[in-house]
Amino acid sequence: NIIMPRYTNAPFADENHPMIQSSNGVWLSMVRNTADNDATLTLYDLSQPNLPPIELSAGSRRDQIVEMEFTPDNNRVIYVAGGNNGGDNSLWGVDLASGNNFRIRRGKYGWGVISPDGGRIALINWVPTENNKPPYATLVIVDIESTEETLLFQGGELVNDTLTGVRFALPIAWRR
């Protein structure tokens, strides 16, 4: 059992993804924040508790890990690290056997779901607008191996510098 203490007045403390466990029960993935808001993705191999955890920085101070999912085969964790709510970030993967991480693609990503074959992820990608107006969300699929991105859903249109037709799609589950 783990009890996770939290300092709820810390800025951005609630923006990091909650702790998750792999479907085979072997891995535990959690985000740790320092008092200076330096976030670290920490992966524990529960089958070998004497091994040190895999630790990966979210990037700069106040960067976050807003999404993380185990692939269905439990060999990788796919995660989004960097800015949140339309900020610059990247989609990353980490190979759990070696502990090596790899950048898949830069973007302004948010929540997502991994395909049943573990080869793609559907996720939100925020599109910036002019004059510091709020960004709008699109839904994209990113191929983890080729890094190609395919637009599934357009969350609005810019017409004469005005955002129109705003709508929202949130990836919840992957249909087979």
Side-chain angles (χ1 to χ4, degrees):
N1 293 336
I2 296 175
I3 297 174
M4 298 300 298
R6 292 178 27 170
Y7 176 57
T8 58
N9 291 333
F12 310 110
D14 294 326
E15 299 294 335
N16 285 307
H17 196 277
M19 177 175 30
I20 59 173
Q21 188 172 10
S22 62
S23 62
N24 64 1
V26 172
W27 289 93
L28 181 67
S29 179
M30 62 184 284
V31 181
R32 294 181 305 115
N33 267 57
T34 67
D36 289 331
N37 267 328
D38 293 321
T40 302
L41 175 62
T42 306
L43 300 155
Y44 295 96
D45 183 343
L46 300 176
S47 69
Q48 300 183 59
N50 293 334
L51 289 179
I54 299 169
E55 296 182 318
L56 303 164
S57 172
S60 301
R61 180 169 290 155
R62 293 195 177 163
D63 279 353
Q64 301 157 6
I65 297 175
V66 297
E67 179 62 277
M68 61 180 170
E69 298 290 331
F70 286 94
T71 56
D73 62 8
N74 298 301
N75 291 329
R76 290 177 169 172
V77 171
I78 307 301
Y79 64 101
V80 175
N84 193 8
N85 297 323
D88 291 331
N89 58 32
S90 291
L91 182 62
W92 292 85
V94 59
D95 177 73
L96 295 172
S98 67
N100 293 328
N101 68 328
F102 54 96
R103 185 190 317 262
I104 299 168
R105 190 172 179 95
R106 292 178 191 266
K108 297 177 183 301
Y109 296 116
W111 309 286
V113 292
I114 294 180
S115 65
D117 66 3
R120 296 165 290 156
I121 184 168
L123 69 168
I124 291 173
N125 193 20
W126 295 95
V127 177
T129 57
E130 298 293 322
N131 302 325
N132 294 324
K133 293 179 183 174
Y136 64 93
T138 62
L139 186 60
V140 298
I141 290 182
V142 176
D143 185 288
I144 293 168
E145 297 303 323
S146 74
T147 73
E148 290 184 30
E149 183 179 278
T150 304
L151 179 66
L152 286 181
F153 179 84
Q154 183 75 26
E157 280 186 79
L158 285 175
V159 177
N160 298 325
D161 197 31
T162 301
L163 184 60
T164 62
V166 178
R167 37 185 207 238
F168 190 80
L170 179 66
I172 297 173
W174 197 286
R175 292 186 66 185
R176 294 184 188 256

